[in-house]
């Protein structure tokens, strides 16, 4: 909520500092100054029509638009609202909006700065990559009013031809959200992305994907070489070698980790089957949790949100977005494929099927299903260490491949 209205002056405005989240300071008569997390200060006008609160009207950035001018415009918009009319069109004309932000690139940059810049780093990176790589080269110079469904279809088909149908769907969704904002700002009248049905761009991915040993090693090398945060890199590696579900990983609490006995005990309320699950941690997993403990700024969560919000774990989309923002070197992959990959390779190594199913927290049918977790403790401890060692070997193999490639090039 904005602070109570107290007349502003230039001294007060210059002294306003950015915070973790953007905030509003009221000046009165519907005029507010919004301080963004970047430090940018933007004049906004708040009003109601027919008893309903309307979206804030952007007046302009301070100090380009001074206090006196902002107050004068706020009075003008109040007079327009008194006639039962929205002041949005007038505000756009006053700041040259209709003239300067009519192309896809121009408006998309405005949309990015207004709505995306304050999102998570991974979300920003994904959006920026899609804009720069696929949207701008194709339609960046086109007028918003000239973009049609065919233009977007061409973009999506080109991405699908690269073997990335899910990336094509992501691109369509970003264009769709941008046009929704353009319509709300009265800069566009139709959303051409609405005409492209999602299921015709990318069908649900097959749930039979298994990463080969080379793909597994390549992906983890790419993850560690990327610019994603260190805790996210460790989270993805831990997902591979502990065989847990993504939600079980990101909501992990320090109280569940028993460093002394090398055990991770996930309570029943956090498990899909509502049964407590014990993971016998490999040497590698223990080392990763120890590093995370040193990096952590939360007393509760292993993977907390940024400082100021450490009482909550990272969102369920954080790891997905981090993976999408980088080139993994592997096509048609989703994070859940790690579990299937582990199961497939362990079975191929001749390990106990029942122990593997227990390690995955799957139910076992028949009389075997009533055995408690201790029945498979030794086998599960063995296969999780075997699997962690196997994964390390694939990473090392890919490292040697890279070194060998450089050597051949140099030669």
């Amino acid at each position: 909520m904005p602070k109570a209205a107290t007349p502003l002056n230039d001294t007060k405005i210059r002294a306003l500092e950015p915070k973790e989240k953007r905030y509003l300071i009221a000046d009165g008569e519907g005029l507010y100054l919004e301080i963004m997390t970047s430090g940018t200060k933007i004049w906004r006008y708040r009003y109601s029509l027919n008893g309903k609160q309307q979206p804030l009207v952007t007046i302009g950035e301070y100090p380009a638009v001074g206090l006196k001018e902002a107050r004068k415009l706020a009075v003008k918009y109040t007079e327009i609202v008194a006639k039962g009319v929205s002041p949005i069109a007038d505000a756009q004309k006053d700041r040259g909006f209709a003239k300067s932000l009519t192309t896809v690139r121009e408006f998309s940059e405005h949309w990015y700065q207004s709505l995306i810049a304050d999102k998570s780093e991974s979300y920003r990176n994904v959006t920026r990559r899609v804009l720069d790589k696929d949207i701008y080269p194709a339609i960046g110079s086109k007028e918003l009013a000239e973009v049609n469904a065919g233009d977007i279809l061409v973009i999506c088909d080109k991405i699908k031809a690269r073997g990335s149908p899910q990336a094509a769907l992501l691109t369509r969704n970003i264009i769709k959200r941008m046009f929704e904002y353009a319509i709300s700002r009265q800069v566009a009248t139709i959303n051409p992305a609405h005409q492209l049905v999602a299921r015709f761009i990318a069908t649900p991915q097959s749930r039979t994907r298994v990463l080969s040993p080379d793909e597994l090693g390549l992906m983890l090398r790419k993850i560690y070489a990327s610019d994603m945060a260190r805790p996210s890199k460790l989270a993805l590696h831990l997902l591979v070698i502990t065989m847990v579900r993504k939600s079980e990983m990101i909501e992990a609490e320090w109280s569940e980790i028993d460093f002394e006995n090398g055990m991770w005990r996930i309570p029943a309320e956090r498990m899909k089957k509502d049964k407590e699950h014990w993971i016998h941690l490999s040497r590698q997993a223990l080392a990763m949790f120890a590093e995370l403990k040193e990096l952590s700024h939360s007393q509760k969560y292993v993977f907390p949100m940024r400082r100021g919000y450490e009482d909550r774990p990272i969102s369920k989309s954080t790891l997905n977005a981090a993976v999408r923002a980088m080139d993994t070197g592997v096509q048609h992959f989703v994070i859940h494929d790690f579990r299937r990959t582990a199961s497939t390779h362990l079975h191929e190594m001749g390990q106990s099927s029942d122990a593997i199913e227990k390690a995955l927290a799957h139910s076992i049918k028949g009389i075997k299903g009533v055995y408690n977790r201790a029945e498979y403790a030794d086998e599960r401890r063995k296969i999780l260490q075997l699997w962690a060692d196997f994964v390390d070997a694939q990473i090392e193999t890919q490292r040697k491949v890279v070194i060998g490639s450089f050597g051949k090039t140099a030669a």
Side-chain angles (χ1 to χ4, degrees):
M1 291 295 293
K3 293 183 178 181
T6 54
L8 291 170
N9 57 51
D10 288 310
T11 301
K12 289 181 180 179
I13 293 172
R14 285 193 293 268
L16 293 171
E17 296 291 337
K19 299 179 181 180
E20 282 281 339
K21 299 180 70 174
R22 57 189 183 185
Y23 62 100
L24 292 168
I25 297 291
D27 181 65
E29 301 299 326
L31 180 64
Y32 292 84
L33 187 65
E34 184 169 15
I35 293 78
M36 313 299 282
T37 58
S38 62
T40 300
K41 298 165 184 175
I42 302 174
W43 292 111
R44 313 283 195 192
Y45 176 72
R46 172 171 281 173
Y47 70 105
S48 297
L49 274 180
N50 302 318
K52 293 183 179 180
Q53 190 76 56
Q54 302 297 313
L56 293 175
V57 172
T58 298
I59 294 177
E61 188 174 325
Y62 177 90
V65 177
L67 177 58
K68 289 183 179 179
E69 183 180 357
R71 285 174 173 167
K72 181 179 178 181
L73 289 169
V75 170
K76 173 183 175 180
Y77 301 151
T78 298
E79 293 173 351
I80 293 172
V81 172
K83 299 175 183 177
V85 179
S86 168
I88 289 179
D90 287 83
Q92 290 175 353
K93 291 178 182 178
D94 288 336
R95 63 181 190 273
F97 187 86
K99 180 179 178 181
S100 64
L101 297 177
T102 59
T103 68
V104 170
R105 181 187 292 272
E106 290 165 342
F107 186 81
S108 293
E109 287 301 313
H110 167 74
W111 167 70
Y112 185 92
Q113 294 301 323
S114 299
L115 297 186
I116 309 301
D118 289 329
K119 302 291 186 181
S120 68
E121 181 180 3
S122 59
Y123 189 84
R124 295 197 309 270
N125 289 342
V126 169
T127 305
R128 171 54 64 192
R129 180 168 173 267
V130 169
L131 288 170
D132 292 340
K133 183 177 180 180
D134 293 303
I135 297 176
Y136 290 165
I139 59 173
S141 61
K142 292 197 72 166
E143 297 288 315
L144 285 169
E146 296 177 356
V147 178
N148 56 50
D151 294 322
I152 301 171
L153 183 60
V154 169
I155 296 173
C156 292
D157 284 346
K158 185 176 180 179
I159 297 171
K160 288 170 69 175
R162 300 199 302 252
S164 305
Q166 297 302 315
L169 181 58
L170 171 66
T171 301
R172 172 264 192 184
N173 290 342
I174 286 176
I175 295 174
K176 179 172 174 283
R177 288 193 288 270
M178 184 274 290
F179 267 95
E180 285 173 351
Y181 183 64
I183 291 171
S184 75
R185 308 314 292 173
Q186 299 184 354
V187 182
T189 57
I190 63 170
N191 190 331
H194 270 308
Q195 300 175 46
L196 298 183
V197 181
R199 68 177 181 275
F200 295 145
I201 297 175
T203 55
Q205 293 179 316
S206 169
R207 296 278 53 87
T208 60
R209 184 71 163 95
V210 173
L211 299 179
S212 70
D214 284 347
E215 287 178 325
L216 191 57
L218 175 62
M219 176 174 289
L220 283 166
R221 277 195 56 80
K222 292 266 190 176
I223 286 170
Y224 278 111
S226 74
D227 60 359
M228 75 173 67
R230 179 70 178 178
S232 293
K233 295 177 181 180
L234 295 175
L236 290 166
H237 197 158
L238 281 167
L239 276 173
V240 176
I241 63 176
T242 60
M243 300 162 61
V244 300
R245 298 176 180 88
K246 183 182 66 175
S247 62
E248 295 156 8
M249 178 63 69
I250 64 176
E251 295 173 4
E253 299 185 15
W254 287 118
S255 60
E256 300 168 3
I257 310 298
D258 182 349
F259 284 99
E260 184 175 350
N261 294 302
M263 189 75 72
W264 177 11
R265 299 179 176 88
I266 305 179
E269 59 267 23
R270 289 214 306 108
M271 292 301 299
K272 185 175 181 180
K273 300 294 184 180
D274 295 324
K275 292 183 180 180
E276 186 180 42
H277 183 50
W278 289 16
I279 296 125
H280 300 269
L281 298 173
S282 62
R283 295 187 302 274
Q284 293 91 331
L286 269 172
M288 291 177 204
F289 275 118
E291 181 179 350
L292 286 164
K293 186 69 173 175
E294 292 182 3
L295 295 172
S296 180
H297 53 270
S298 172
Q299 297 297 312
K300 182 176 183 179
Y301 290 107
V302 177
F303 301 101
M305 293 184 70
R306 62 185 183 278
R307 290 186 183 278
Y309 300 90
E310 56 265 29
D311 59 336
R312 287 177 281 174
I314 57 176
S315 72
K316 293 182 179 180
S317 62
T318 298
L319 296 181
N320 299 70
V323 170
R324 284 198 301 267
M326 59 171 284
D327 175 14
T328 62
V330 177
Q331 293 185 348
H332 312 307
F333 159 83
V334 294
I335 287 177
H336 192 74
D337 294 336
F338 284 148
R339 282 165 57 82
R340 187 180 307 100
T341 296
S343 174
T344 299
H345 288 297
L346 285 169
H347 275 100
E348 290 177 351
M349 294 176 198
Q351 300 305 305
S352 164
S353 180
D354 290 341
I356 294 171
E357 292 302 298
K358 283 291 186 181
L360 290 165
H362 286 167
S363 298
I364 299 176
K365 296 180 180 180
I367 189 64
K368 293 181 179 179
V370 301
Y371 289 179
N372 63 36
R373 56 184 164 264
E375 293 294 328
Y376 298 98
D378 290 340
E379 288 181 276
R380 288 164 62 183
R381 186 180 293 109
K382 171 189 170 184
I383 64 173
L384 283 172
Q385 185 60 60
L386 176 67
W387 177 238
D389 291 341
F390 177 86
V391 171
D392 276 356
Q394 308 320 307
I395 298 173
E396 177 63 16
T397 296
Q398 289 302 312
R399 184 187 71 83
K400 291 179 179 178
V401 168
V402 171
I403 293 173
S405 298
F406 279 122
K408 289 178 182 178
T409 301

